[in-house]
Amino acid sequence: MGGWGAAAVVATAIPFYMEGFWLQTGLFAMSAAVGAIGINLLTGSTGQLSMGHAFFLAVGAYAYVYFAADPGQSGQHALGGLGLPTPLAAVLAVLTAGVAGGLFSPIAGRLKGAYLGIATLALIFLGQHLLFNAEPVTGGYNGRAVPPLELFGLVFADSPALVLFDVPFGSLERLWFLGLAVVLGAAAFARGVLRGRPGRAMNTIRDHEIAAGVMGVPVARYRAGVFVLSSMYGGLAGVMLALVFQRTVPDYFSVLLSLDYLAMIVIGGLGSIGGAIAGAVFVSVLPQLLTRYSDSLPLIAEPGSGGVSPAEAARILYGAAVVTVVLFLPGGLRELFLRLRTAIRGRAALLTRTTRMRRSSAPSPSPTPSPDTRS
């Protein structure tokens, strides 16, 4: 409990001491963590391979923009929008991603393995076509500006100005606490699902599909339902990403983003909520760090200079991490953490036992004779 308390104190104090780069990097990691939890429910816990997770992030991001923005003009194109309150727009965006997953769920309920992966890959190409051509909704190639979230009178933007303990709180500082709350809520809900009856059914479907059917588990229904739930997690991650980026761009929601999410759950540990979060932090933070310190790192060149760019180097590194995990550490970073914790506890217990044995075996000092005894 002490460790969790210390982690909570550190997470709360970060916006008061860290600069904007680290806050933005942390927010990217939080968004990735929410999306990774969703795809881990689908792939890690139920055994359904999905290559289209980026599509649902795009649905969430663009749906939020459309629901929250007012109609306007961007160059020669008229932009649509409903101008709804931003909290309502965020909720509707997540539900829209769930509806998109529901439309695909009959296919997800009947396909499995590589067949489902190929089918979901088609969602990426469909999404890219819509993002570039549905200009009244998406803004086309240039994307759309994202309306800032306003919750209980607090605007998650740089203005109006807000100062806490002599620290100016801009959009990143305000979004930091919102992101923490969303990640904790998403992790708690997913943990509840996995620890309950649905989680046991999902794991049975993953490990023994025929046995699950024999025991009365509606396999197709569970597969479809988990696909919808995973889509909603993706939509929520897309809303968070849009709020951090402050602009939605179609190129970001490509097949590479879906591959990144698969790398997150493999590196972190399949079927584990903590592993999904750890893998998301690793995969999302690594390119940012390589970009930040590219000048002082060997073999890393600035983007466009002809060498290995930070993004390419990051993909090489976590590609190597995926191979290492598959070969030597099937449980991912979660298994590595558990091994280290067990080793530390074992060493501490051994040290305590050795100290007690030394104390018990030490000779007791002989008593000093009294004057009567001497005589």
Side-chain angles (χ1 to χ4, degrees):
M1 195 66 182
W4 286 111
V9 170
V10 171
T12 305
I14 283 177
F16 293 94
Y17 297 97
M18 293 296 183
E19 60 181 13
F21 168 79
W22 297 109
L23 294 179
Q24 187 178 56
T25 301
L27 286 167
F28 286 152
M30 292 178 194
S31 169
V34 173
I37 292 172
I39 195 172
N40 212 4
L41 290 173
L42 182 68
T43 302
S45 300
T46 316
Q48 291 179 277
L49 176 63
S50 174
M51 297 286 291
H53 205 54
F55 171 80
F56 299 105
L57 270 82
V59 171
Y62 279 95
Y64 170 76
V65 174
Y66 181 78
F67 288 136
D70 294 318
Q73 191 78 18
S74 176
Q76 299 178 351
H77 306 291
L79 299 178
L82 300 182
L84 299 176
T86 52
L88 177 60
V91 173
L92 290 177
V94 175
L95 293 178
T96 302
V99 170
L103 294 176
F104 192 82
S105 62
I107 300 175
R110 288 167 173 79
L111 296 180
K112 62 179 181 178
Y115 298 102
L116 179 60
I118 294 172
T120 53
L121 186 62
L123 291 174
I124 297 294
F125 302 115
L126 173 64
Q128 288 289 295
H129 176 77
L130 293 175
L131 293 181
F132 283 118
N133 293 282
E135 294 176 350
V137 176
T138 65
Y141 289 85
N142 296 324
R144 294 189 65 169
V146 178
L149 183 69
E150 184 176 353
L151 188 62
F152 302 118
L154 176 63
V155 181
F156 291 84
D158 293 329
S159 61
L162 177 64
V163 178
L164 292 178
F165 302 106
D166 296 329
V167 177
F169 261 51
S171 61
L172 296 177
E173 288 82 2
R174 303 176 197 186
L175 286 171
W176 179 269
F177 294 103
L178 178 65
L180 283 178
V182 171
V183 171
L184 291 176
F189 182 82
R191 189 179 299 273
V193 170
L194 292 179
R195 288 184 174 180
R197 186 174 180 179
R200 293 191 293 271
M202 290 157 57
N203 291 335
T204 306
I205 292 172
R206 178 195 61 194
D207 298 332
H208 305 285
E209 179 184 342
I210 297 178
V214 171
M215 289 188 295
V217 176
V219 176
R221 188 185 306 170
Y222 263 96
R223 281 179 171 171
V226 175
F227 194 88
V228 172
L229 180 61
S230 175
S231 303
M232 295 178 70
Y233 268 88
L236 180 57
V239 173
M240 293 177 62
L241 198 62
L243 292 173
V244 178
F245 265 129
Q246 299 181 358
R247 189 168 191 87
T248 53
V249 181
D251 287 333
Y252 183 79
F253 303 99
S254 65
V255 67
L256 293 178
L257 182 61
S258 291
L259 294 177
D260 286 347
Y261 273 101
L262 290 177
M264 290 176 195
I265 61 175
V266 172
I267 293 173
L270 291 172
S272 166
I273 303 302
I277 296 175
V281 171
F282 178 83
V283 172
S284 60
V285 169
L286 185 60
Q288 304 293 328
L289 293 180
L290 292 178
T291 303
R292 172 87 170 187
Y293 300 106
S294 60
D295 294 337
S296 56
L297 292 174
L299 305 179
I300 305 297
E302 294 182 0
S305 61
V308 179
S309 67
E312 293 171 341
R315 287 194 168 88
I316 292 172
L317 288 176
Y318 52 72
V322 168
V323 174
T324 303
V325 164
V326 170
L327 293 179
F328 305 107
L329 203 66
L333 294 177
R334 178 178 180 272
E335 181 180 344
L336 178 62
F337 170 76
L338 293 177
R339 288 184 182 181
L340 291 176
R341 186 177 66 177
T342 302
I344 292 173
R345 288 181 175 178
R347 187 175 294 273
L350 179 61
L351 181 62
T352 302
R353 196 181 308 116
T354 304
T355 304
R356 289 177 178 175
M357 292 177 61
R358 287 177 179 175
R359 288 178 180 176
S360 62
S361 61
S364 58
S366 57
T368 304
S370 63
D372 297 337
T373 307
R374 292 196 196 101
S375 61

